[in-house]
Amino acid sequence: MSSLSTPVSRPPDDAGAPGPLLVLLDPSAREADGESVRIAKDVLCGGADVKVALPESPSELDRVLAHRGRRRAVVIGSDQALQRVLQALHRQRELDTDPVGLVPVGGPVATATARLLGVPPEPVAAARAVLAGAARRLDLLLDDGGGVVLAEVRFTGPRQGRTGGWRSLWAKLAAAEQASPTGPEELRIEADGRLLADVHQRVRHLRVAMVDGAMELALDLDGRPQRHRAGLLTVAGRGFGYEADGCPVGPVRHRTWTVRPDSWRLLLPAA
C-alpha cells in the first residue's frame, strides 16, 4: 500500500471546520479518471486535515481503517469501493461510528448506486458535500456471508466465483455489464418464514431492493409476477449466482439477507 499525508492547517478560530479525514482512494479510480481524482483530492485537502491512503487489498483496507483514529473515512471511487469500506467497518463493528463520505469516480454503471443515494456526480460538488454536508441515515442489507448491500440484489445464474481484491472491482463491474441474461433458476425462497418458491418451480426473475426499512421483492415465478415485502430473506439452491450492487457473487448454495434500518450514515449535500 502506498500512502501519503497531506495536512492542511486551519485557523484556530474556524469553529465550523470539518474534522480530520482519511481519504481511501480506489486504485481503479485513478486508472478510470485521474483528473477527477486529482480535483477531489485538491478540494478535500483545501478544506480539512487529510491523509490519503491507497489500499490495494482487503487486508490493507482493514488495517488503515483500524488505525484511522479520529479521521472520518472518505471514499474516492466506485460504488463497489464504498461497499468494500462498509464491509470492513461492519467487520470491525464500527459501521455507525462516524459518517462516511463518497466522491464517485467511474462510469455510469460503476456509480449508479451513488446517484441513487443522492451523492453529487461531479467531484467538486461531492467533495464539498463531504466537507460541509449533512449526515443522512441509510439502510443496509447484511448477508450471512459477511457482505453488505447498499441498494439491490439481483439473481443472475451460476457464476465462477468472487474475484478477490480491491483492484479487481472495476473488472467485475465490466463483466457484470457485459453478462447476458441467464435461464430460469431452481431456487427455494423464503421471506420472513413464508415459502415463496420451491425448487420444483422456475424462478425467472428475482430482484431485492430496500424500500422504507424493508426488502421489496420482485419475483417472477413460472411467468407469474409477484411482489412481497420482508425483513428476512433466505435463498437456497444447487448453486446460484447473484449480483450485490452490480458485483457478481457465487455460485453459492445458501444465503440469508437481513435488513439493518438506519445502520450507517452518508455525507450528502445539506438541504
Side-chain angles (χ1 to χ4, degrees):
M1 181 188 71
S2 59
S3 63
L4 58 94
S5 179
T6 314
V8 176
S9 297
R10 304 290 300 182
D13 59 346
D14 188 357
L21 305 177
L22 172 64
V23 174
L24 298 159
L25 177 57
D26 179 4
S28 297
R30 291 199 304 180
E31 298 170 6
D33 190 348
E35 180 64 11
S36 290
V37 171
R38 183 193 64 79
I39 291 171
K41 285 170 57 180
D42 287 348
V43 174
L44 293 172
C45 291
D49 170 9
V50 170
K51 179 179 180 181
V52 180
L54 288 82
E56 295 182 346
S57 70
S59 61
E60 289 181 336
L61 177 61
D62 283 338
R63 183 166 60 84
V64 295
L65 285 171
H67 293 88
R68 72 187 184 281
R70 299 184 300 108
R71 294 183 181 274
R72 179 175 289 176
V74 178
V75 179
I76 298 181
S78 66
D79 299 338
Q80 301 307 315
L82 173 63
Q83 185 191 60
R84 290 279 181 169
V85 169
L86 293 180
Q87 285 186 179
L89 292 173
H90 172 57
R91 286 194 298 270
Q92 297 175 12
R93 300 180 183 271
E94 294 188 346
L95 193 57
D96 195 25
T97 300
D98 288 302
V100 176
L102 173 64
V103 179
V105 176
V109 173
T111 58
T113 299
R115 295 194 304 275
L116 181 66
L117 296 177
V119 179
E122 298 299 325
V124 172
R128 287 176 176 167
V130 170
L131 296 172
R136 176 185 171 192
R137 287 198 170 273
L138 297 169
D139 305 334
L140 273 180
L141 290 180
L142 299 181
D143 70 47
D144 56 356
V148 304
V149 181
L150 309 181
E152 70 170 17
V153 176
R154 286 210 271 182
F155 284 76
T156 57
R159 294 283 183 179
Q160 297 303 311
R162 290 182 189 260
T163 306
W166 178 273
R167 185 179 292 276
S168 64
L169 294 174
W170 195 264
K172 287 191 289 188
L173 280 166
E177 188 175 13
Q178 296 298 321
S180 59
T182 58
E185 288 272 19
E186 296 179 355
L187 301 172
R188 180 179 176 87
I189 303 172
E190 295 183 10
D192 291 339
R194 294 173 292 133
L195 182 63
L196 303 183
D198 213 340
V199 292
H200 65 277
Q201 299 171 296
R202 306 293 276 179
V203 177
R204 298 183 180 276
H205 173 81
L206 176 59
R207 176 181 176 270
V208 183
M210 286 180 293
V211 180
D212 298 329
M215 281 181 274
E216 185 173 275
L217 282 60
L219 172 65
D220 187 320
L221 186 62
D222 290 325
R224 300 189 306 274
Q226 304 177 20
R227 287 194 175 271
H228 304 274
R229 286 176 68 86
L232 181 73
L233 174 68
T234 298
V235 179
R238 290 182 297 181
F240 60 90
Y242 64 92
E243 292 177 0
D245 298 326
C247 180
V249 182
V252 297
R253 294 180 177 272
H254 181 279
R255 187 114 295 171
T256 294
W257 290 267
T258 306
V259 177
R260 284 280 298 272
D262 297 334
S263 56
W264 68 293
R265 290 172 290 163
L266 179 65
L267 291 167
L268 296 171

